[in-house]
Amino acid sequence: ELIECFDIGGTQLRSAWVKDGKIVARQKMASVKGSKEKLLEQIKLVSKNLEKEATEPIAAVSISIAGPAKNGIVEYLPPLELNERVDFAEELKKGSACLC
């Protein structure tokens, strides 16, 4: 089974697929700053790019991000210049075939 992983930092957004403990695909780009909507769009775009290479369904998604979280909701993201709450799980379900 594939696990889709995201490491969202103040400088770069890195993503990878992991299967049986090994990275089988990866991608990185500069992180979008200052806009929750643009950040979410960027994550979905990266996911769709990886999805094109998929040979099997994604079993899980893991997101690592620099910001305090409570009950699964990130409170704010100083490195990304965001001072608003982001419920990544809920937001990424919207209109995405891959992140659900």
Side-chain angles (χ1 to χ4, degrees):
E1 295 183 322
L2 290 173
I3 300 172
E4 188 171 26
C5 304
F6 291 91
D7 178 11
I8 305 165
T11 305
Q12 290 188 334
L13 182 149
R14 294 181 177 97
S15 60
W17 277 351
V18 176
K19 181 176 180 177
D20 298 325
K22 296 179 183 172
I23 295 173
V24 295
R26 68 178 78 202
Q27 188 174 7
K28 70 178 178 177
M29 63 183 60
S31 296
V32 172
K33 295 183 180 185
S35 170
K36 175 176 95 172
E37 290 75 19
K38 288 183 180 181
L39 176 62
L40 293 166
E41 286 175 26
Q42 183 182 41
I43 295 167
K44 289 180 183 182
L45 174 65
V46 170
S47 181
K48 287 179 192 234
N49 287 342
L50 286 171
E51 186 180 80
K52 293 175 187 174
E53 301 175 32
T55 57
E56 58 192 279
I58 295 169
V61 176
S62 172
I63 297 176
S64 169
I65 193 154
K70 183 176 180 180
N71 299 322
I73 299 171
V74 178
E75 297 292 324
Y76 53 91
L77 301 161
L80 295 171
E81 301 169 8
L82 293 175
N83 292 318
E84 59 186 296
R85 300 175 79 197
V86 183
D87 184 340
F88 281 95
E90 190 61 36
E91 291 289 341
L92 293 173
K93 286 181 189 178
K94 298 175 184 175
S96 177
C98 195
L99 293 169
C100 51

